[in-house]
Amino acid sequence: MALTEKIQAALNAQVNNELDASYAYLAVATYFDNEGLPGFAEWFRGHAQEEHEHAMKIYNHIYQRDGKVALEGIKKPKSDFASAEEAVLAGYEHEQVVTGQIHALFELCAEEKDYGTQNMLNWFLAEQVEEEDLFRRVLDLGRATDNNSWFLMQLDEQLERPSEGGESEA
Ligand code: FEO
């Protein structure tokens, strides 16, 4: 069954949203690289890559359902932050925005009776729970440093070595 126009437009918007998230996290990575915190930077680069993969999952679904992908422009991302905490908070808040987007898409699929797309979105619902949890945990760790540069550097090392720190697995 081909996609309805409404669903195709909404899925295309979400491809754009995921690419927007990818670019936003890459910009946060540049902030951390500029601050000399390569562990945080790597963590955010990893997430930028994941968001690109999310965009491609939806991209592939559109073509599997005989639709067409139409890419839009991506807005300039924020890369200046007052602190590491503010930068991680921006990522956490961005994840919450994406969760809202996925929920709206899920509801639209119910209205349009597009159960195939709704099933594809189940993966995203679970992913958002995982991502929000992960970002919140890193935010809590960042807050615990109280912006002390020594503690920040220790945390940075942990993020760079996931097997020891455990926070950069996703
Ligand atoms: Fe694709 Fe982290 O939202």
Side-chain angles (χ1 to χ4, degrees):
M1 194 166 86
L3 294 171
T4 66
E5 269 183 39
K6 253 192 190 175
I7 297 286
Q8 176 170 284
L11 287 174
N12 265 302
Q14 195 57 31
V15 168
N16 203 67
N17 290 335
E18 300 289 344
L19 292 173
D20 178 69
S22 177
Y23 209 39
Y25 297 160
L26 191 58
V28 177
T30 67
Y31 164 79
F32 282 115
D33 267 323
N34 293 341
E35 291 293 307
L37 292 166
F40 278 98
E42 191 177 308
W43 196 82
F44 271 94
R45 277 197 303 273
H47 279 281
Q49 180 60 35
E50 276 197 25
E51 299 307 338
H52 190 271
E53 287 163 13
H54 296 173
M56 291 311 295
K57 259 185 202 290
I58 300 171
Y59 177 111
N60 290 333
H61 180 80
I62 292 173
Y63 282 117
Q64 274 183 324
R65 294 285 304 282
D66 199 21
K68 283 192 169 52
V69 170
L71 298 176
E72 301 289 339
I74 295 175
K75 62 180 179 292
K76 186 175 187 219
K78 181 174 164 62
S79 59
D80 56 320
F81 301 96
S83 63
E85 180 186 330
E86 193 186 291
V88 178
L89 177 63
Y92 178 46
E93 288 177 343
H94 204 117
E95 281 304 314
Q96 291 173 310
V97 169
V98 174
T99 299
Q101 293 163 346
I102 298 293
H103 288 182
L105 202 44
F106 196 82
E107 283 161 18
L108 180 67
C109 287
E111 280 167 28
E112 296 279 296
K113 298 187 170 24
D114 185 340
Y115 303 117
T117 299
Q118 208 174 33
N119 185 51
M120 184 272 294
L121 290 172
N122 279 322
W123 182 90
F124 282 85
L125 291 177
E127 175 73 3
Q128 284 312 118
V129 171
E130 202 179 288
E131 296 254 278
E132 279 197 33
D133 178 49
L134 202 60
F135 273 79
R136 190 178 53 250
R137 282 193 291 128
V138 173
L139 180 61
D140 286 346
L141 289 169
R143 282 180 170 152
T145 68
D146 203 20
N147 221 20
N148 174 289
S149 28
W150 172 251
F151 290 140
L152 265 178
M153 284 164 72
Q154 296 298 309
L155 176 56
D156 189 71
E157 266 191 41
Q158 291 297 307
L159 289 172
E160 205 168 20
R161 291 181 296 171
S163 57
E164 291 177 35
E167 275 79 28
S168 34
E169 72 231 358

